[in-house]
Amino acid sequence: MHEAYEVSHLLNATVQIEAIAAYDGNLLLGTRQGHLLMYSLSNNNGNQKYELQLFRYCKNFSKKPIQQIDVIPEDHLLLCLTDNIISSYDINGVNFPLVKTFHETKGASLFALHIKSATSMTGESNSLVQLCVAVRRKLQIYYGKNREFKKHPFEFTIPDVPKVMDWGLQYLCVGFKGEYTMFDISTREPKELFPTSSSKSLEPTIAKYSEAAFLLGRDNTSVLVEEGEDIKIKKTIKWKEAPIAVVWDEPFVLGLLQDQVIVQTVEPSLFIQTLPDLNKARLMYRCKRGLIFVSSVGQVWCLSSVDITKQRQQLLKDKQFQIAIDLTNLSDSSAEEKKQTVHSIQKLFALELFDNKEYSQSMNEFLKLNTDPADVIKLFPELDKPADSHKKGTETDAKKKDLEKALKALIEYLLALRRKIGVKPAKEGESQDESTSQRNVTQQLELIDTTLLKCYLQTNDALVAALLRLNYCRLDEAERTLLQHSKHSELIILYQTKGQHTKALQLLREQAKQPDSSLKGFHRTKHYLQHLGSEHINLIFKFSDWILKEYPEEGLKIFTEDIVEVENLPRAKVLDFLLREHESLVIPYLEHVIHTWNDTNPFFHDALIKMYREKITDKKANSTEEELQHIKSKLVTFLETSSHYTPERVILHFPNDTLFEERAIILGKLGIHEQALAIYVQILGDVEKAIRYCENVGEKSKDKNVDVYVILMKILMNPEQCNSLTGPLANVARHPKSTVQDMETALSILEKHADKISPMKALSVLPDGVPLGRLKCFLESALESQLTLKRRTQVLKGLLYAEHLQVQELKHYHESQKIVIHDYDLCPVCKKRFGNQSAFVRYPNGDIVHYSCRLDK
């Protein structure tokens, strides 16, 4: 791999080294003779080679061997375990003066120190120290601040004397001779992990990996264990042999083996470097990132990190991108420089993944990097090749599968990018920068959707239609691509969403005649036109023409289907178009407008009557008698039932020599009953229809003085004296029956409809020679009706009189009520007193206000 560290031999000691510690470029050595040596570390003019300079040497530090030392730099304290007891010393004083001896630690064999940096309310930085001391089979806990330590009252009882231990966030990790155990500091519960080795002959090792994770030695491995509700084993790192000591120096883990240090990475798990010739080394201490001290009994070495820039160059050559990123983040460069460098490395990593055909992972990296999608799409030149080149090419099945895999990864990338970008419509009044940003977003969406279209066409063309229904595809490019793949149905959707309706309808008309086309026939065109809406009415007229000519009944549905857009088309314009180009469809259209859509516009009602009339009277129409009778029946029914046509206008265009019944209906609508009845009796000779006419008028007429029955009787009894048919109708031939007096029919009408006929008017038109006996039933019915009316009137009079008396009584009651107003009474509206001359109003609830205040209450 590459060189991550360089070894510098620092010292050949004349004493036997038992413990080492370091801080801020200072090295402390504790010896078997009880001496304490302090060195300062320096390098020659910035070179990687380091040297030690003796800074302080205390020969009388302890009478016993120094077992363990560590430093609290913020408090300038040295903690030392010697003669099985813990003491603290002033690291700045001459000969390291004693600060405190922890007498309760008598019998200690090991301690673990953890320093937390904290900021006070005033902004001062303080260090909070956690100290754990192994005293025989007990673990004592101390908390320190500003050189003062307080012992926690609780002590952990442990099964054996610990060999190594270290602090986590919530746990103390302890390595015994035979196993590892995690002690929960808050619940004080132990959690046994696993044995230290299968043979139980190896010493345990613990390296702090993070605040809540440890590297624990087990045989020839280091096991990465993470704190949590359930202690988890995250990873296992293998060594050539069981390491004596392990140090985590991000992003590397260093294992001290026999006479050498092995450098590896945890994620990814890679061998990095071997640092040999560390003769009989047994201690290893990390001072800071990139600076580790290694010691034997008589020698000291320094492992210093190789310049990160140099390492990064080699790592990129070796394509170890993640390690290069980790090192960059640990470098001393500015935040902006780090960001740019990491971004470039990640881009190289993504391209490497792509070259290795790990397309999905590559696309995920590009997405994280916010890489310009145009740069990503350039990696797929196959998308711009003509469709035929994929079919006729000599690509193997493996290549085709690889391309499909790549395109599917690209699709996932583009869809994720589309969701990430989102679509925010431009708002009025937004700034120029916001508007420019929105344009950039739109351009990106155009590129994404156009590329998605190409991908779908090569992988799963069933998704094309769904994409096109809501898309930002570039029209020209998408149009060309769809035509290359002969996707005419999808091209119609593209045109529709882009508002290119003329192109869509032209293509539909062309494809309608192609026998093997998916757009064959008129149905797609009809459906398209039905949803265009009134703003495209001229386009609808233009492209509906061929359907109306070839399939008139189906074509008419373009203007009559039960669809909102169709119903909202301008009906007058549609009628005008049909009158000019397709007159045969005018009547069905008007019937639909009036009978189905219930349009009450007189214009359409008049037009339908006109079309019926012209259809009946047109001699050139070559209609059969059956067809004419059907139209005539519809005309009569419509004239009788419709109340929205204008009879005074319609009648002007009716012929005088035919359509007499229809004329009679229209005259009835105009209230010219005498002429209408004369047509029924004298021209048509159909008294039954005349009687039904009278019945209809009686039911519908609001004018109670209209005596149509009397008019009919008069025409029947005096045909020669009837002069109702005037003008052009005077010359129309009379029906033979109409010239003879029909007294019997007139009298039967009088008897049958006696309750609807005024007796006085009826008697005034009857001849003097009519026998009284024939009038018996009529007179009896008339008298009975008059008596009934009289009785009803009398009852009504009595009821009204009773009501009058009740009102009078109520009036007297209210008039008898008195109102007392004192000088100190106030109007509740204006809060003023009532004067002697004040007009006032009393409400039903008893409130009294000034007359002028009544409207404000």
Side-chain angles (χ1 to χ4, degrees), residues 634-702:
K634 290 202 287 186
L635 175 58
V636 169
T637 303
F638 186 69
L639 288 170
E640 287 178 341
T641 56
S642 174
S643 59
H644 301 292
Y645 64 88
T646 51
E648 61 273 14
R649 186 184 303 157
V650 168
I651 200 169
L652 295 175
H653 303 286
F654 263 71
N656 296 315
D657 57 348
T658 184
L659 300 179
F660 297 112
E661 183 180 0
E662 290 78 359
R663 177 180 282 274
I665 296 170
I666 297 169
L667 289 169
K669 295 281 186 178
L670 292 168
I672 308 174
H673 303 298
E674 188 172 352
Q675 195 175 57
L677 288 168
I679 290 173
Y680 279 118
V681 176
Q682 294 185 325
I683 296 178
L684 298 175
D686 194 336
V687 178
E688 288 300 320
K689 283 187 177 180
I691 294 171
R692 283 203 298 274
Y693 175 86
C694 293
E695 291 172 350
N696 289 335
V697 171
E699 290 174 2
K700 298 177 182 178
S701 178
K702 296 179 182 178

XYZ file of all heavy atoms in Angstrom, residues 634-702:
556
model
N -92.495 15.054 -33.984
C -91.566 15.690 -33.056
C -91.788 17.200 -33.006
O -91.684 17.807 -31.928
C -90.122 15.386 -33.468
C -89.717 13.941 -33.252
C -88.218 13.744 -33.140
C -87.528 13.890 -34.445
N -86.078 13.556 -34.363
N -92.107 17.804 -34.154
C -92.357 19.240 -34.188
C -93.580 19.597 -33.355
O -93.565 20.545 -32.558
C -92.541 19.712 -35.638
C -92.935 21.168 -35.825
C -91.909 22.111 -35.189
C -93.106 21.499 -37.306
N -94.661 18.838 -33.547
C -95.893 19.108 -32.797
C -95.635 18.980 -31.294
O -96.040 19.827 -30.497
C -97.012 18.142 -33.255
C -98.215 18.235 -32.305
C -97.443 18.464 -34.673
N -94.971 17.886 -30.917
C -94.686 17.659 -29.491
C -93.840 18.788 -28.920
O -94.099 19.283 -27.812
C -93.969 16.311 -29.309
O -94.766 15.272 -29.862
C -93.698 16.037 -27.835
N -92.829 19.202 -29.686
C -91.941 20.256 -29.205
C -92.675 21.584 -29.068
O -92.487 22.310 -28.082
C -90.748 20.401 -30.171
C -89.702 21.358 -29.683
C -88.910 21.069 -28.591
C -89.519 22.590 -30.305
C -87.949 21.959 -28.138
C -88.568 23.481 -29.852
C -87.776 23.163 -28.765
N -93.542 21.897 -30.059
C -94.313 23.146 -29.995
C -95.242 23.156 -28.786
O -95.451 24.202 -28.158
C -95.116 23.331 -31.281
C -94.294 23.703 -32.529
C -95.179 23.615 -33.768
C -93.700 25.096 -32.412
N -95.757 21.987 -28.452
C -96.691 21.910 -27.320
C -95.965 21.977 -25.973
O -96.455 22.606 -25.032
C -97.484 20.604 -27.394
C -98.528 20.590 -28.495
C -99.254 19.268 -28.579
O -98.747 18.252 -28.052
O -100.340 19.241 -29.174
N -94.800 21.336 -25.900
C -94.140 21.187 -24.594
C -93.148 22.300 -24.277
O -92.948 22.637 -23.108
C -93.401 19.836 -24.516
O -92.479 19.754 -25.607
C -94.379 18.682 -24.601
N -92.508 22.852 -25.288
C -91.491 23.874 -25.020
C -92.143 25.209 -24.683
O -93.094 25.635 -25.337
C -90.584 24.034 -26.237
O -89.697 25.105 -26.029
N -91.586 25.845 -23.689
C -92.076 27.166 -23.306
C -91.000 28.236 -23.516
O -91.124 29.352 -23.018
C -92.500 27.159 -21.832
O -91.407 26.795 -21.004
N -89.914 27.874 -24.264
C -88.792 28.781 -24.394
C -88.587 29.318 -25.803
O -87.676 30.117 -26.006
C -87.506 28.074 -23.930
C -87.560 27.596 -22.506
N -87.581 28.456 -21.442
C -87.630 26.339 -21.986
C -87.641 27.758 -20.307
N -87.686 26.463 -20.626
N -89.376 28.891 -26.761
C -89.251 29.509 -28.084
C -90.102 30.766 -28.134
O -90.979 30.994 -27.289
C -89.627 28.522 -29.202
C -91.061 28.043 -29.207
C -92.048 28.752 -29.891
C -91.416 26.864 -28.553
C -93.360 28.298 -29.908
C -92.717 26.405 -28.560
C -93.687 27.125 -29.248
O -94.983 26.694 -29.266
N -89.868 31.610 -29.142
C -90.601 32.880 -29.289
C -91.653 32.715 -30.389
O -91.334 32.793 -31.586
C -89.630 34.016 -29.638
O -88.822 33.598 -30.749
C -88.729 34.351 -28.481
N -92.917 32.481 -30.023
C -93.967 32.165 -31.017
C -94.183 33.290 -32.028
O -94.423 33.029 -33.198
C -95.206 31.918 -30.153
C -94.898 32.487 -28.818
C -93.435 32.416 -28.649
N -94.065 34.550 -31.559
C -94.297 35.660 -32.496
C -93.238 35.694 -33.595
O -93.509 36.168 -34.702
C -94.336 36.997 -31.748
C -93.065 37.377 -31.008
C -93.015 36.807 -29.593
O -93.828 35.910 -29.270
O -92.166 37.252 -28.805
N -92.053 35.189 -33.326
C -91.013 35.157 -34.350
C -91.139 33.900 -35.210
O -90.944 33.933 -36.418
C -89.639 35.205 -33.668
C -88.470 35.317 -34.647
C -87.135 35.269 -33.924
N -87.028 36.300 -32.912
C -86.220 36.265 -31.852
N -85.464 35.202 -31.679
N -86.186 37.258 -30.980
N -91.433 32.790 -34.562
C -91.504 31.510 -35.264
C -92.622 31.501 -36.300
O -92.459 31.022 -37.428
C -91.691 30.373 -34.236
C -92.054 29.072 -34.927
C -90.426 30.200 -33.409
N -93.771 32.069 -35.940
C -94.948 31.968 -36.812
C -94.783 32.744 -38.116
O -95.430 32.442 -39.115
C -96.209 32.451 -36.051
C -97.469 31.914 -36.727
C -96.221 33.977 -35.945
C -98.724 32.101 -35.913
N -93.885 33.708 -38.119
C -93.689 34.516 -39.321
C -93.181 33.680 -40.495
O -93.409 34.024 -41.654
C -92.689 35.646 -39.033
C -93.136 36.707 -38.015
C -92.005 37.695 -37.746
C -94.365 37.444 -38.534
N -92.452 32.577 -40.181
C -91.829 31.776 -41.242
C -92.621 30.515 -41.570
O -92.160 29.715 -42.384
C -90.406 31.399 -40.817
C -89.546 32.582 -40.503
N -89.033 33.414 -41.471
C -89.137 33.097 -39.312
C -88.338 34.384 -40.913
N -88.386 34.208 -39.590
N -93.768 30.340 -40.920
C -94.552 29.136 -41.202
C -95.367 29.351 -42.476
O -95.925 30.430 -42.711
C -95.473 28.808 -40.026
C -94.894 27.765 -39.112
C -93.815 28.055 -38.299
C -95.403 26.484 -39.100
C -93.267 27.095 -37.482
C -94.862 25.512 -38.274
C -93.793 25.813 -37.463
N -95.474 28.326 -43.312
C -96.245 28.466 -44.567
C -97.745 28.601 -44.278
O -98.233 28.154 -43.236
C -95.921 27.162 -45.302
C -95.570 26.188 -44.221
C -94.904 26.985 -43.146
N -98.458 29.210 -45.224
C -99.906 29.404 -45.068
C -100.713 28.270 -45.679
O -101.934 28.218 -45.502
C -100.323 30.728 -45.727
C -99.687 31.921 -45.033
O -99.677 31.992 -43.804
N -99.124 32.851 -45.809
N -100.059 27.409 -46.434
C -100.802 26.365 -47.131
C -100.572 24.983 -46.559
O -101.033 23.983 -47.127
C -100.419 26.377 -48.618
C -98.915 26.205 -48.801
O -98.191 26.314 -47.783
O -98.471 25.973 -49.944
N -99.875 24.901 -45.469
C -99.643 23.597 -44.832
C -99.256 23.822 -43.369
O -99.143 24.967 -42.915
C -98.522 22.822 -45.571
O -98.389 21.533 -44.977
C -97.200 23.558 -45.479
N -99.042 22.730 -42.659
C -98.663 22.774 -41.233
C -99.670 23.586 -40.426
O -99.330 24.428 -39.600
C -97.252 23.368 -41.053
C -96.103 22.619 -41.746
C -94.780 23.335 -41.510
C -96.002 21.186 -41.250
N -100.950 23.269 -40.657
C -102.011 24.030 -39.966
C -102.064 23.706 -38.477
O -102.298 24.595 -37.647
C -103.366 23.736 -40.633
C -103.414 24.181 -42.070
C -103.496 23.262 -43.092
C -103.362 25.537 -42.379
C -103.538 23.681 -44.419
C -103.405 25.959 -43.712
C -103.482 25.017 -44.731
N -101.903 22.448 -38.133
C -101.940 22.078 -36.703
C -100.823 22.776 -35.941
O -101.034 23.287 -34.838
C -101.822 20.568 -36.542
C -101.919 20.123 -35.077
C -101.804 18.619 -34.909
O -101.641 17.905 -35.911
O -101.860 18.163 -33.744
N -99.638 22.806 -36.545
C -98.510 23.450 -35.899
C -98.756 24.946 -35.706
O -98.430 25.534 -34.671
C -97.232 23.240 -36.729
C -96.708 21.802 -36.742
C -97.489 20.890 -37.688
O -98.456 21.368 -38.318
O -97.150 19.700 -37.790
N -99.399 25.558 -36.751
C -99.743 26.985 -36.660
C -100.731 27.213 -35.527
O -100.634 28.201 -34.780
C -100.319 27.463 -37.997
C -100.779 28.931 -37.970
C -101.332 29.338 -39.319
N -100.254 29.595 -40.266
C -99.633 30.757 -40.390
N -99.974 31.775 -39.626
N -98.687 30.925 -41.277
N -101.702 26.290 -35.399
C -102.715 26.436 -34.345
C -102.059 26.416 -32.968
O -102.425 27.188 -32.072
C -103.744 25.315 -34.458
N -101.060 25.534 -32.767
C -100.366 25.454 -31.472
C -99.654 26.770 -31.173
O -99.708 27.292 -30.059
C -99.378 24.278 -31.469
C -100.112 22.956 -31.620
C -98.551 24.278 -30.179
C -99.217 21.766 -31.861
N -99.008 27.312 -32.215
C -98.273 28.571 -32.025
C -99.243 29.711 -31.721
O -98.978 30.549 -30.839
C -97.442 28.899 -33.281
C -96.390 27.797 -33.501
C -96.741 30.241 -33.125
C -95.690 27.891 -34.847
N -100.395 29.731 -32.441
C -101.407 30.762 -32.161
C -101.887 30.655 -30.721
O -102.149 31.668 -30.057
C -102.582 30.619 -33.138
C -102.281 31.019 -34.587
C -103.429 30.568 -35.504
C -102.112 32.537 -34.700
N -102.020 29.416 -30.245
C -102.425 29.228 -28.852
C -101.410 29.822 -27.894
O -101.766 30.416 -26.875
N -100.111 29.645 -28.209
C -99.065 30.226 -27.366
C -99.171 31.748 -27.354
O -98.816 32.392 -26.364
C -97.683 29.826 -27.887
C -97.374 28.335 -27.805
C -96.985 27.910 -26.408
C -96.539 26.451 -26.394
N -96.107 26.003 -25.070
N -99.674 32.307 -28.490
C -99.819 33.772 -28.573
C -101.137 34.252 -27.970
O -101.385 35.456 -27.898
C -99.751 34.217 -30.043
C -98.376 34.051 -30.711
C -98.492 34.236 -32.219
C -97.393 35.061 -30.137
N -101.976 33.322 -27.556
C -103.275 33.690 -26.955
C -104.360 33.977 -27.984
O -105.429 34.482 -27.637
N -104.098 33.662 -29.244
C -105.114 33.886 -30.313
C -105.900 32.591 -30.425
O -105.761 31.800 -31.375
C -104.431 34.279 -31.639
C -103.458 35.442 -31.417
C -105.460 34.659 -32.690
C -102.632 35.810 -32.628
N -106.773 32.350 -29.431
C -107.469 31.065 -29.334
C -108.545 30.902 -30.406
O -108.748 29.783 -30.900
C -108.080 30.928 -27.942
C -107.064 31.048 -26.837
N -106.024 30.186 -26.677
C -106.939 31.982 -25.835
C -105.297 30.539 -25.630
N -105.845 31.646 -25.101
N -109.205 31.967 -30.733
C -110.309 31.855 -31.692
C -109.805 31.386 -33.050
O -110.387 30.486 -33.670
C -111.020 33.215 -31.841
C -112.313 33.140 -32.668
C -113.101 34.446 -32.645
O -112.725 35.359 -31.880
O -114.089 34.539 -33.378
N -108.696 31.958 -33.517
C -108.146 31.547 -34.813
C -107.595 30.127 -34.744
O -107.721 29.347 -35.689
C -107.046 32.523 -35.237
C -106.673 32.402 -36.709
C -105.679 33.463 -37.133
O -104.611 33.558 -36.553
N -106.043 34.260 -38.131
N -106.966 29.783 -33.591
C -106.429 28.433 -33.427
C -107.552 27.406 -33.491
O -107.449 26.379 -34.182
C -105.675 28.330 -32.102
N -108.683 27.669 -32.777
C -109.797 26.732 -32.774
C -110.454 26.664 -34.153
O -110.911 25.585 -34.584
C -110.812 27.150 -31.710
C -110.355 26.904 -30.252
C -111.284 27.597 -29.273
C -110.286 25.416 -29.951
N -110.477 27.796 -34.858
C -111.055 27.810 -36.202
C -110.257 26.910 -37.134
O -110.832 26.227 -38.005
C -111.088 29.235 -36.729
N -108.895 26.888 -36.955
C -108.055 26.016 -37.791
C -108.384 24.557 -37.501
O -108.538 23.735 -38.423
C -106.564 26.307 -37.530
C -106.184 27.675 -38.096
C -105.682 25.220 -38.155
C -104.785 28.124 -37.754
N -108.501 24.214 -36.203
C -108.811 22.828 -35.859
C -110.160 22.385 -36.457
O -110.278 21.276 -36.988
C -108.848 22.656 -34.326
C -107.489 22.500 -33.691
C -107.031 23.421 -32.764
C -106.672 21.414 -33.989
C -105.791 23.297 -32.168
C -105.423 21.286 -33.397
C -104.989 22.219 -32.486
O -103.761 22.080 -31.901
N -111.182 23.269 -36.349
C -112.537 22.870 -36.740
C -112.767 23.063 -38.239
O -113.230 22.148 -38.940
C -113.587 23.671 -35.931
C -115.002 23.342 -36.410
C -113.448 23.367 -34.444
N -112.439 24.234 -38.765
C -112.849 24.574 -40.114
C -111.852 24.115 -41.187
O -112.251 23.900 -42.337
C -113.059 26.090 -40.225
C -114.232 26.569 -39.358
C -114.520 28.038 -39.544
O -113.606 28.837 -39.739
N -115.792 28.397 -39.488
N -110.539 24.029 -40.836
C -109.569 23.585 -41.843
C -109.238 22.101 -41.661
O -109.271 21.321 -42.616
C -108.284 24.425 -41.774
C -108.594 25.887 -42.126
C -107.214 23.871 -42.719
C -107.403 26.807 -42.047
N -108.951 21.717 -40.410
C -108.581 20.322 -40.161
C -109.793 19.438 -39.946
O -109.702 18.210 -40.135
C -107.656 20.227 -38.938
C -106.301 20.969 -39.041
C -105.553 20.882 -37.725
C -105.470 20.371 -40.160
N -110.945 20.038 -39.553
C -112.155 19.254 -39.303
C -111.986 18.273 -38.169
O -112.643 17.226 -38.129
N -111.125 18.580 -37.198
C -110.840 17.658 -36.087
C -111.304 18.305 -34.797
O -110.572 19.019 -34.113
C -109.342 17.365 -36.039
C -109.026 16.169 -35.151
O -109.821 15.859 -34.253
O -107.950 15.559 -35.345
N -112.594 18.036 -34.453
C -113.196 18.635 -33.259
C -112.551 18.077 -31.985
O -112.403 18.793 -30.988
C -114.720 18.399 -33.254
C -115.365 18.985 -31.988
C -115.354 19.005 -34.487
N -112.157 16.803 -32.023
C -111.541 16.198 -30.836
C -110.258 16.932 -30.445
O -110.017 17.189 -29.270
C -111.243 14.716 -31.109
C -112.467 13.823 -31.173
C -113.252 13.845 -29.874
O -112.611 13.860 -28.786
O -114.487 13.877 -29.932
N -109.445 17.272 -31.457
C -108.217 18.020 -31.160
C -108.547 19.411 -30.637
O -107.833 19.950 -29.781
C -107.343 18.123 -32.411
C -106.596 16.844 -32.735
C -105.607 17.052 -33.875
C -104.818 15.758 -34.133
N -103.850 15.926 -35.232
N -109.670 19.986 -31.167
C -110.079 21.305 -30.681
C -110.479 21.238 -29.211
O -110.161 22.126 -28.418
C -111.240 21.827 -31.526
N -111.190 20.140 -28.849
C -111.597 19.972 -27.443
C -110.353 19.789 -26.562
O -110.252 20.374 -25.480
C -112.567 18.785 -27.295
C -113.884 19.095 -28.034
C -112.826 18.470 -25.824
C -114.814 17.921 -28.132
N -109.382 18.940 -27.013
C -108.140 18.744 -26.235
C -107.384 20.060 -26.102
O -106.777 20.337 -25.067
C -107.256 17.686 -26.923
C -107.745 16.262 -26.698
C -106.602 15.265 -26.875
N -106.067 15.311 -28.231
C -106.550 14.637 -29.258
N -107.602 13.840 -29.076
N -105.990 14.728 -30.455
N -107.458 20.872 -27.161
C -106.821 22.189 -27.115
C -107.424 23.024 -25.996
O -106.708 23.662 -25.211
C -107.007 22.890 -28.469
C -106.502 24.317 -28.507
C -105.178 24.615 -28.799
C -107.357 25.387 -28.211
C -104.721 25.922 -28.828
C -106.905 26.694 -28.232
C -105.596 26.953 -28.542
O -105.141 28.249 -28.562
N -108.778 23.005 -25.924
C -109.456 23.761 -24.862
C -109.083 23.248 -23.475
O -108.898 24.029 -22.542
C -110.982 23.665 -25.059
S -111.572 24.497 -26.545
N -108.988 21.935 -23.365
C -108.626 21.358 -22.074
C -107.208 21.800 -21.665
O -106.973 22.135 -20.504
C -108.702 19.839 -22.147
C -110.129 19.314 -22.275
C -110.178 17.813 -22.546
O -109.088 17.240 -22.824
O -111.261 17.231 -22.512
N -106.273 21.782 -22.637
C -104.900 22.199 -22.341
C -104.833 23.666 -21.928
O -104.122 24.036 -21.002
C -104.005 21.973 -23.561
C -103.753 20.502 -23.814
O -103.831 19.688 -22.895
N -103.485 20.145 -25.059
N -105.622 24.500 -22.652
C -105.631 25.922 -22.311
C -106.191 26.124 -20.916
O -105.692 26.933 -20.121
C -106.444 26.716 -23.356
C -106.638 28.152 -22.893
C -105.754 26.693 -24.701
N -107.241 25.378 -20.575
C -107.848 25.503 -19.246
C -106.890 25.132 -18.143
O -106.909 25.723 -17.052
N -106.031 24.144 -18.405
C -105.071 23.706 -17.396
C -103.916 24.692 -17.232
O -103.429 24.910 -16.130
C -104.512 22.334 -17.776
C -105.533 21.217 -17.653
C -104.989 19.894 -18.173
O -103.803 19.884 -18.584
O -105.717 18.902 -18.166
N -103.492 25.289 -18.367
C -102.282 26.110 -18.351
C -102.538 27.596 -18.228
O -101.680 28.348 -17.770
C -101.460 25.858 -19.619
C -100.977 24.425 -19.746
C -100.235 24.220 -21.059
C -99.793 22.779 -21.210
N -99.115 22.547 -22.496
N -103.707 28.059 -18.659
C -103.967 29.505 -18.722
C -104.119 30.093 -17.334
O -104.803 29.537 -16.474
C -105.215 29.777 -19.553
O -105.483 31.156 -19.571
N -103.469 31.233 -17.131
C -103.600 31.958 -15.868
C -104.783 32.936 -15.912
O -105.190 33.458 -14.887
C -102.306 32.740 -15.597
C -101.092 31.833 -15.407
C -99.847 32.642 -15.171
C -98.617 31.730 -15.035
N -97.385 32.503 -14.844
